[in-house]
Amino acid sequence: MSETSESQLRAIAKLFRLTGWITFWSQLVLGLVSGGILLFASFSASSRTAGIGNNPGAGLGIFFAISGLVALGIGLFISFRYVRIGRQLDSANPSNRPRKLETVQVVRLGLLVHLVGILLTLIGAQAIVGILLTKSLTVSQIIPGTITQVDPSRIIQPLDIFVVQANTNTVSAHFAGLVGSIWLLNRITK
């Protein structure tokens, strides 16, 4: 990044630090909430007969949801890396500053990680929502006023909705990282 002036370099360094911290904390909070919900759902589903964990196809949905969280962990690391790049760019010693090509590669890696994370999480959400749709359709076939034994695994539980909320939080966290990466890439390639 030697072709930029000192004032531009300081502004870019500040932008990297600020964007890094904002994306880091927003992803961390949303990721912890999502991880907590999925952890609670997996323990709760194993201890009861009705639940999303006992439905066919739910394992695949939970797998992709957790894979999205793993990608979010990588995204957290990259967001913290933005902060470190900002500090290095602010260094008084020019030899400590990363080259523009290295910086752009880190930002592009952030874009890729968040796009893959969104894809994984959306696949998990589609599987889980498909299960909930199947549950709602099978419950609606019960005729009111008749005495029928309802399988508890066919009823939508509040925990099922929490799992959908966890996926939504994970997608939101990846979106925050994606916006931050696009913002940085736009600023440093001008």
Side-chain angles (χ1 to χ4, degrees):
M1 295 198 148
S2 59
E3 65 270 1
T4 60
S5 72
E6 282 297 315
S7 63
Q8 288 173 328
L9 194 59
R10 299 270 184 244
I12 290 172
K14 183 179 179 182
L15 183 68
F16 262 86
R17 286 192 312 272
L18 182 64
T19 304
W21 281 125
I22 289 171
T23 57
F24 177 83
W25 285 108
S26 61
Q27 291 175 72
L28 182 65
V29 168
L30 289 167
L32 285 175
V33 169
S34 296
I37 290 171
L38 287 175
L39 191 63
F40 177 72
S42 64
F43 283 131
S44 182
S46 64
S47 66
R48 64 186 176 119
T49 58
I52 202 160
N54 295 334
N55 291 297
L60 188 64
I62 298 291
F63 169 77
F64 280 111
I66 291 172
S67 298
L69 279 175
V70 169
L72 185 59
I74 297 167
L76 277 166
F77 174 76
I78 291 172
S79 291
F80 189 71
R81 181 91 192 270
Y82 294 161
V83 174
R84 288 181 47 212
I85 288 172
R87 288 179 184 156
Q88 290 172 342
L89 288 172
D90 220 6
S91 173
N93 185 356
S95 65
N96 290 342
R97 297 176 185 158
R99 294 189 332 247
K100 184 174 182 175
L101 179 63
E102 295 169 354
T103 305
V104 170
Q105 286 176 341
V106 170
V107 174
R108 285 184 178 159
L109 178 63
L111 284 169
L112 182 65
V113 165
H114 290 300
L115 284 172
V116 168
I118 286 173
L119 176 67
L120 291 170
T121 308
L122 286 176
I123 290 170
Q126 291 293 332
I128 292 167
V129 169
I131 291 165
L132 295 179
L133 176 65
T134 304
K135 281 183 172 186
S136 70
L137 291 175
T138 56
V139 169
S140 66
Q141 293 175 354
I142 299 171
I143 302 169
T146 62
I147 300 175
T148 57
Q149 185 67 22
V150 178
D151 181 10
S153 67
R154 291 183 168 182
I155 299 173
I156 297 175
Q157 302 290 324
L159 189 60
D160 298 336
I161 305 303
F162 275 133
V163 172
V164 173
Q165 179 65 45
N167 272 342
T168 305
N169 288 348
T170 306
V171 169
S172 299
H174 279 296
F175 182 75
L178 188 64
V179 167
S181 296
I182 290 171
W183 175 258
L184 286 174
L185 189 63
N186 184 35
R187 293 293 173 214
I188 63 175
T189 57
K190 281 187 172 183

